[in-house]
């Protein structure tokens, strides 16, 4: 905290004096009159602050760390006129039954929404699983039919090759027969020449 300024709410059990009240009580009202504080006045103010916590000085900057800061913060949030519950330690505030009912109602709504979300996710996963199974079965059927078609094609090709070989064997006497036909044709041509 920069030097000097008004302090936070005082702790319970002390008189309600701010830093300004402390400075006025110890220095005679110089700050209230708007005059610059002398060094002695600053030391008096720091001495008053040291009663409430730790004071650190770095040049013209004065830092103040209050004792029991957590308790002071807790007390500053309590309504005025209400004593803090429990004297010294950390106190648990009273639980509002209406807030608990609201929390229970909201928890029920969240649970219902989570159940509906899980049902939707389950239905979506079932649909995706059925679609995936259908795709896999279609792919399997296509592969099987392709294998059968390829097998039939290979068998038909082997049968064609076998028939071609049989035809080739059956055509082997044709060249000799063609030679004989040519010889007979030549002989007929010579006979025709003699008959003329």
């Amino acid at each position: 905290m920069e030097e000097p300024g008004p302090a936070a709410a005082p702790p319970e059990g002390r008189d309600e004096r701010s830093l300004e009240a402390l400075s006025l009580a110890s220095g005679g009202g110089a700050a209230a009159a708007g005059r610059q504080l002398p060094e002695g006045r600053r030391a008096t103010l720091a001495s008053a602050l040291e009663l409430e916590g730790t004071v650190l000085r770095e040049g013209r900057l004065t830092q103040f760390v209050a004792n029991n800061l957590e308790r002071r913060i807790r007390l500053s949030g309590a309504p005025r006129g209400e004593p803090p519950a429990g004297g010294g330690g950390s106190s648990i505030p009273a639980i509002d039954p209406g807030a608990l009912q609201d929390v229970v109602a909201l928890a029920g709504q969240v649970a219902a929404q989570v159940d509906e979300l899980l049902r939707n996710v389950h239905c979506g996963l079932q649909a995706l699983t059925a679609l995936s199974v259908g795709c896999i079965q279609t792919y399997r059927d296509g592969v099987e039919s392709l294998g059968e078609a390829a097998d039939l094609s290979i068998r038909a090709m082997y049968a064609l090759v076998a028939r071609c070989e049989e035809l080739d064997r059956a055509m082997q006497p044709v060249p000799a027969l063609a030679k004989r036909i040519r010889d007979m044709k030549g002989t007929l041509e010579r006979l025709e020449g003699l008959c003329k």
Side-chain angles (χ1 to χ4, degrees):
M1 144 177 163
E2 293 191 7
E3 82 167 83
E12 187 75 18
R14 295 185 184 268
D15 57 341
E16 297 189 359
R17 292 187 297 169
S18 64
L19 288 181
E20 185 177 343
L22 286 173
S23 65
L24 288 175
S26 61
R35 296 193 304 271
Q36 183 68 26
L37 292 174
E39 289 298 322
R41 171 81 183 89
R42 188 173 295 145
T44 306
L45 225 161
S47 301
L49 287 175
E50 285 175 356
L51 295 175
E52 301 292 326
T54 305
V55 178
L56 301 173
R57 293 182 197 83
E58 295 178 7
R60 297 188 63 192
L61 177 69
T62 302
Q63 296 178 351
F64 173 68
V65 179
N67 293 332
N68 298 327
L69 183 61
E70 184 178 339
R71 184 170 179 271
R72 289 172 186 257
I73 292 171
R74 194 176 297 118
L75 289 175
S76 68
R80 290 188 179 265
E82 278 189 25
S90 62
S91 61
I92 299 174
I95 298 173
D96 183 14
L100 282 179
Q101 290 175 354
D102 292 343
V103 169
V104 169
L106 290 174
Q109 291 177 2
V110 169
Q113 290 175 356
V114 168
D115 287 342
E116 184 179 355
L117 175 65
L118 290 177
R119 279 195 298 272
N120 291 338
V121 168
H122 181 67
C123 293
L125 287 177
Q126 280 185 338
L128 289 175
T129 304
L131 182 63
S132 300
V133 169
C135 291
I136 291 171
Q137 288 176 348
T138 304
Y139 180 75
R140 183 197 61 199
D141 295 342
V143 169
E144 288 179 355
S145 62
L146 178 64
E148 291 175 0
D151 189 33
L152 290 175
S153 298
I154 291 170
R155 288 180 183 177
M157 184 64 69
Y158 278 130
L160 178 62
V161 169
R163 297 292 167 83
C164 289
E165 288 177 352
E166 290 177 2
L167 181 62
D168 186 49
R169 283 195 297 271
M171 295 291 287
Q172 282 180 358
V174 170
L177 185 59
K179 186 176 184 247
R180 287 179 62 190
I181 289 173
R182 281 195 298 272
D183 291 343
M184 290 175 64
K185 185 178 179 183
T187 305
L188 286 174
E189 287 177 354
R190 283 196 296 273
L191 285 174
E192 282 180 4
L194 289 175
C195 290
K196 290 180 181 177

